[in-house]
Structures are given as C-alpha cells and as structure tokens.
Amino acid sequence: MLAVWGVVLVVLFIFIANTVRIVQQYEKGLIETLGKYSRTVGAGVTIVIPIFQSLKKIDMREQVMDVAPQNVITKDNVTVTVDAIIYFQITDPVRVVYNVANFAMAALKLAQTNLRNVIGDMELDSTLTSREKINNQLRAVMDEATDKWGVKITRVEIQKIDPPRDITESMSKQMKAEREKRANILEAEGFRQSAILKAEGEKQAVILESEAKKQKSILEAEGQAEAIKRVADAQKYEIDTVYNAIHQGKPTNDLIAIKYMETLSKVADGKASKIFLPLETSGVTASLAGIAELFKDKNEAVKK
C-alpha cells in the first residue's frame, strides 16, 4: 500500500507540474491543443491540460546574434574579412514559431548573404569609411525580410573590416607618406608665412622711420619758421619802440649830431685794422660839414 500511495503521489505531482505552468514577465506563452495553436498567454500562472495541451515559451526581450567573420569581395576586387553583430527583438511570437523553422539559422544566413551584397557594391575605401552606411543598409534589408517572421531588427553593427595584409601595409605606407606630405606642406607654409611677416615688418619699420624723419623735418621747419617769425616780431617791436621813442622825444639836431659822433668814435675804437665807410663818401662829408656848421651856429649864438 505504501508503494502504491508513493506512485500515486509521484503521478499526481507530475500531473500538477504539467498542469500549472508559470510564464515569466519577459515571456509569451503559446498554448497548443492537440497540436493546433489555441491561444497566447501572458505573464503569470497558466493552466494546461496534460497530454491534450502543450505550452511553448517565447522570450520577448531584445537579443543579439553574432555573425561569424567571413570573406567578402568588394567592388574593386579586394577580399576583406567582415565581422558583424545583429540585434533583434521578437514582436509576434506566433509568426516566429509557425512561419520559420529555425529563426536563428535563417537570420544568420540572411545576414551573411546581404552583407556580401551590400559590401560587394562598394569599393574598399568606402567600406572602411562608411560603416554607418553599411549598418543602415543591412538593417533595412534584414528588417524587411524578417518582418513576416514577426521579428524586428533593431540594430546592425559592423565590428571590424580587415583588408588583406599587403593592402594594409600599402595603406599604412600611403598614410605615412600623406602625413609626411602634410607635415612638409605645413612646414613650408610656416616658413613662407614667417618670411612674409618678416618682410611686412621690415617694410612697416622703414615706413615708420620715413614718417618719423618726415615729421621731424616738418616740426624742425615749423620751429625754425616760428623762431624767425618771433625774432622778426621782436626786431619789429624794437624798431617800432625806438622809432616811437625818438619821435616822441623830439630829438634836436645837436643830439643827433652827438649820437652820430659817438657812433663814429665806437667804430674807430674797434680792434679791426680796417674800417668800411659807405661808398657814397659825399654823404658822409656832407654830414660832417652839417655837424660843423651846427656847432658854428651854436658858437655864434653864444657870442651874441
């Protein structure tokens, strides 16, 4: 009896385990009755009739698929090794189960085929510099193809594109030569710019020096002109003052004669060995005669 009860309990436990099923939050459950799709259930506890019904759980989270490295020939007949990763998410669990036998294998082969097609239409330089373009084209093609399978291709990422070793070495040499060329151009441009700036500086220095000399000459000329003008004004003032003083003082002929004689005496007392008199000596003689006549008249007046 104990053995019988033991068997009954085991059978009961198995029956309950197959009847009461739990679907996780990130899953969808497909219930089949006698091999035919019956309904889709969400997360939680689901009752399934053993033997007559079965439950298939489908993971609805975004998943990743690694596309193994493969050799692809570019448009310019260069063989490159391409490695890619595909991100996808199941949107319809019914179609992914009943429309394709092995989605993972189908998606992998589809990715490899379309990867060859996309890169085969591009040259090597484009494939190395246009990864984003390759990603977008491949994602669009695969998303359209997998739509009938109830799968959404969210992203496609090209991990690496490896050209042949000889191409890599040639590209490395080319890049090195290009860098050296740019360095030489920049160095030459630097020398050229330095020479231009130096010449411009020397030119500007010469211009400034010339301007300074010109300005100095102008200022000196203006200073000399101002000095001459002031000297002339002073002489004019002196002459005007003396002239006005003489006329205001109303000098007599006696005073003029005395001043004249004093002037002649100063000329005669000079250290010069020669005395220059006016060319018209008749004027001097007349002046001396006039002075003598003046003193003669004075003496006669005194006698009277």
Side-chain angles (χ1 to χ4, degrees), residues 252-258 260-261 264 281-299:
T252 62
N253 293 330
D254 299 339
L255 180 60
I256 295 173
I258 292 170
Y260 190 81
M261 294 300 292
L264 289 177
T281 54
S282 60
V284 177
T285 305
S287 298
L288 292 174
I291 294 171
E293 186 67 27
L294 177 63
F295 281 103
K296 182 179 178 181
D297 294 337
K298 291 292 184 180
N299 292 329

Side-chain angles (χ1 to χ4, degrees), residues 29-304:
L30 301 180
I31 298 179
E32 294 179 346
T33 302
L34 296 178
K36 183 179 179 180
Y37 168 73
S38 173
R39 68 181 188 277
T40 301
V41 296
V45 178
T46 300
I47 303 300
V48 178
I49 301 175
I51 302 175
F52 298 100
Q53 292 182 331
S54 62
L55 176 66
K56 293 182 179 180
K57 297 180 181 180
I58 307 300
D59 193 337
M60 303 298 291
R61 293 176 294 182
E62 186 174 1
Q63 302 178 50
V64 61
M65 179 185 300
D66 188 10
V67 180
Q70 57 180 330
N71 295 328
V72 181
I73 301 176
T74 62
K75 186 176 182 180
D76 49 354
N77 297 324
V78 178
T79 302
V80 295
T81 302
V82 183
D83 186 8
I85 296 179
I86 300 174
Y87 295 86
F88 67 93
Q89 186 174 15
I90 297 174
T91 57
D92 190 343
V94 176
R95 287 190 291 175
V96 78
V97 172
Y98 298 110
N99 290 359
V100 59
N102 188 341
F103 169 75
M105 180 63 68
L108 183 61
K109 295 301 180 183
L110 182 64
Q112 292 176 345
T113 303
N114 286 280
L115 191 59
R116 292 191 185 98
N117 293 336
V118 172
I119 295 182
D121 291 336
M122 304 174 66
E123 296 182 353
L124 177 61
D125 293 339
S126 299
T127 59
L128 297 176
T129 58
S130 305
R131 291 195 178 189
E132 188 66 25
K133 180 180 178 180
I134 297 174
N135 294 339
N136 293 333
Q137 289 183 358
L138 189 58
R139 187 198 63 80
V141 172
M142 290 196 61
D143 189 43
E144 183 180 358
T146 58
D147 183 63
K148 63 180 180 180
W149 297 339
V151 178
K152 174 69 175 177
I153 303 297
T154 56
R155 284 183 299 170
V156 176
E157 297 291 341
I158 301 296
Q159 285 188 326
K160 61 180 180 179
I161 301 177
D162 294 334
R165 185 174 181 179
D166 56 343
I167 299 295
T168 304
E169 292 177 354
S170 299
M171 292 175 62
S172 178
K173 292 179 181 179
Q174 182 180 0
M175 292 176 62
K176 182 179 179 180
E178 187 66 25
R179 286 194 296 268
E180 291 178 352
K181 176 184 175 182
R182 288 198 298 267
N184 293 331
I185 292 174
L186 290 175
E187 184 177 3
E189 185 65 24
F191 287 141
R192 174 177 172 272
Q193 192 66 22
S194 176
I196 291 174
L197 292 176
K198 183 178 180 181
E200 288 290 338
E202 293 176 352
K203 175 183 176 182
Q204 190 67 21
V206 171
I207 293 174
L208 292 176
E209 185 178 0
S210 300
E211 288 291 335
K213 290 181 179 180
K214 176 183 176 182
Q215 190 66 23
K216 180 181 178 182
S217 300
I218 292 173
L219 293 176
E220 288 179 351
E222 290 179 352
Q224 292 176 359
E226 185 66 22
I228 293 171
K229 180 181 178 182
R230 291 192 178 185
V231 170
D233 291 340
Q235 292 176 351
K236 177 183 178 183
Y237 176 77
E238 182 181 1
I239 293 171
D240 290 342
T241 303
V242 172
Y243 180 81
N244 291 331
I246 291 173
H247 282 276
Q248 290 177 2
K250 296 179 179 180
T252 62
N253 293 330
D254 299 339
L255 180 60
I256 295 173
I258 292 170
K259 289 297 182 180
Y260 190 81
M261 294 300 292
E262 289 177 353
T263 302
L264 289 177
S265 64
K266 290 180 180 180
V267 172
D269 291 340
K271 296 181 180 180
S273 60
K274 296 180 181 180
I275 299 175
F276 293 93
L277 294 175
L279 182 61
E280 297 179 356
T281 54
S282 60
V284 177
T285 305
S287 298
L288 292 174
I291 294 171
E293 186 67 27
L294 177 63
F295 281 103
K296 182 179 178 181
D297 294 337
K298 291 292 184 180
N299 292 329
E300 291 177 357
V302 171
K303 290 178 180 182
K304 291 179 180 182

